[in-house]
Amino acid sequence: MSQTEAARKPLVIRNANFRRLWISSTAGIFGGAVTSVALPVIAVTELDASNFTVAVLAGMTFLPWLLFGLPIGVLVDRYRRRPVIVASLAVRTLLLASLPVAWWLDLLTVVQLFAVSFGAGLAAVFFTLAEQALVPSAVAREELVEGNGLMTGSGAFGDAGGRALGGWVTGAWGASNALLLQVAASLGSLAAILRLDIREPRPDRTKDRRVLRDMGEGVRYVFSTLPLRMLLVTGALWNLGGNIVVSLLVLLVIRSLGETPGMLGLLTAATAVGGTLGGLSVKRIASRVGSGRVWRYSMFPAVAGYASLLLISPGWGMAAGFIGLFVAGFAISLNIVVSTTFRQRVCPPQMLGRLGSAQRMITWGMLALAAFAAGILVELVGIRGAILTGILVAALAPLAAALGPLRRVRDLEDLEPEGAAGKPAGQEASRLRPS
């Protein structure tokens, strides 16, 4: 078979290592989606937790990014990534399996729910950073957009399936028992990673092992250039506002509107279905209009999609939410793919763990802060007032992108630095030099 014929095949078919990463990632996201529906429903229906508790619970999974993201990024760069993924997936599976066991024994408490959420989130920091750092080793540089698009699209599809099935199973089996789906998905993810055949060189670890110095390098790098700073600022603003909205969705649907967990699962699955189509479409859209334009303008329809939640009502009134969250998922997926691809293209391979941890410490740390903010806001202004506040904060992200210093950039690839593989020296490249 010629190279041209091979290139026509989808990446998941022609590249076995990418396929294994793709299967592992998609299975993990499917299980995580089940958990994201089940955990707040456990708090609402099985433990009768307060509105503040339910809102804050949504942030516990992301709190480890804020507290430990930087040192874990250093560790990921110091060790081979595949064993890190295997160990962290195993720990996360055991932690989540403890919840249905505690429920069967009538021992489940809010304290355990918070502890398991935090521990599972801590394990997720390890395997998320290690997985993203492995992608450039599994695919060629020119395949990164296609690879990230497939990972994002299939991940969103797994997210949709997990949320829809998770919502149904919580009603049919009970919320705690639904976590057995997460355990099964995690075992599938582990099986795929164990078959991965990537030869990772032993990382060069200095004898003094100055963790603080390595952490500082990651933070300095993520702030070192104008494009990276802008991607960081817009991502942080979006996550802060957007997760205020998402943290309150279970309260809006189940407590305020009186709908079922199944409806909650289907509603949140609409976001993931849109994300699937966005991930599969981003390569074509970015090639036609430019990745810079995709990054700048994709968040505007995402804001409008979240705003549709203010219009929903029981029964057929939920339709506005389905449409709006579908649009939001499509737009968010486009933004994630072009942003992630740019970071992977400009970052040296030995820095990928630290770059990912520094960037996520801020952007995903905002998800944790947003949940705490949602808990406070829901007590002060009610569920819909808190959601409106989150939408207004999220709207700052596309405004910063559209009016900021990158407003005239057509393609983010034009901002790659001199010396990057496949990037000739030029005037646009000079914009990425550290300030």
Side-chain angles (χ1 to χ4, degrees), residues 43-410:
V44 171
T45 63
E46 295 181 354
L47 299 177
D48 195 27
S50 67
N51 287 349
F52 177 82
T53 299
V54 174
V56 172
L57 177 64
M60 292 306 294
T61 302
F62 300 103
L63 187 58
W65 287 97
L66 187 63
L67 300 180
F68 304 113
L70 285 177
I72 291 174
V74 173
L75 293 175
V76 167
D77 279 340
R78 288 184 172 184
Y79 295 92
R80 291 189 175 99
R81 278 72 185 255
R82 180 175 171 272
V84 170
I85 297 174
V86 170
S88 55
L89 276 174
V91 169
R92 187 170 187 255
T93 303
L94 291 173
L95 285 171
L96 290 169
S98 73
L99 292 177
V101 172
W103 174 250
W104 299 335
L105 299 175
D106 197 25
L107 298 174
L108 185 61
T109 64
V110 171
V111 173
Q112 182 184 358
L113 196 61
F114 271 71
V116 169
S117 298
F118 182 86
L122 184 61
V125 177
F126 281 95
F127 68 71
T128 300
L129 291 175
E131 180 185 84
Q132 187 180 39
L134 270 181
V135 172
S137 300
V139 303
R141 183 180 177 81
E142 60 274 9
E143 295 174 327
L144 278 172
V145 172
E146 182 181 3
N148 285 320
L150 287 169
M151 294 278 274
T152 302
S154 65
F157 183 78
D159 193 40
R163 290 176 185 276
L165 186 58
W168 178 81
V169 169
T170 56
W173 296 359
S176 292
N177 291 332
L179 292 174
L180 295 175
L181 290 176
Q182 161 77 77
V183 174
S186 295
L187 292 176
S189 186
L190 269 171
I193 284 295
L194 289 172
R195 297 191 61 212
L196 197 62
D197 187 25
I198 292 178
R199 298 177 185 269
E200 295 184 78
R202 183 178 294 276
D204 183 20
R205 302 198 295 268
T206 58
K207 292 183 179 180
D208 56 8
R209 296 194 174 192
R210 296 179 181 174
V211 175
L212 290 178
R213 181 196 62 191
D214 289 350
M215 288 167 54
E217 286 180 356
V219 173
R220 285 193 297 272
Y221 192 85
V222 82
F223 283 102
S224 64
T225 67
L226 179 60
L228 288 176
R229 287 197 298 272
M230 287 304 301
L231 265 62
L232 185 70
V233 168
T234 55
L237 287 171
W238 175 260
N239 284 350
L240 178 60
N243 206 50
I244 290 175
V245 177
V246 172
S247 297
L248 298 170
L249 194 56
V250 63
L251 297 176
L252 176 66
V253 174
I254 295 180
R255 281 196 172 161
S256 180
L257 300 180
E259 291 287 350
T260 64
M263 179 61 77
L264 173 66
L266 290 174
L267 184 64
T268 56
T271 307
V273 172
T276 301
L277 295 180
L280 297 176
S281 306
V282 64
K283 182 179 179 182
R284 181 179 301 175
I285 294 173
S287 65
R288 289 187 176 182
V289 305
S291 59
R293 291 171 179 166
V294 170
W295 169 73
R296 282 197 302 278
Y297 300 120
S298 57
M299 287 178 287
F300 282 108
V303 172
Y306 276 174
S308 70
L309 294 174
L310 297 173
L311 306 176
I312 63 176
S313 59
W316 286 103
M318 300 294 290
F322 279 96
I323 296 171
L325 290 185
F326 174 86
V327 171
F330 184 91
I332 292 168
S333 181
L334 298 181
N335 191 276
I336 289 173
V337 171
V338 296
S339 300
T340 300
T341 300
F342 177 75
R343 292 188 186 98
Q344 289 173 336
R345 288 174 66 100
V346 302
C347 183
Q350 69 275 12
M351 282 283 294
L352 280 170
R354 280 168 285 174
L355 171 65
S357 65
Q359 177 253 328
R360 283 186 170 88
M361 180 195 72
I362 297 170
T363 57
W364 287 19
M366 287 294 170
L367 298 174
L369 296 179
F372 284 92
I376 296 171
L377 286 168
V378 75
E379 297 293 335
L380 294 176
V381 296
I383 295 173
R384 290 183 182 269
I387 289 175
L388 175 59
T389 303
I391 293 168
L392 294 176
V393 173
L396 297 175
L399 290 174
L403 302 177
L406 303 185
R407 60 186 177 276
R408 294 188 178 90
V409 175
R410 183 187 188 278

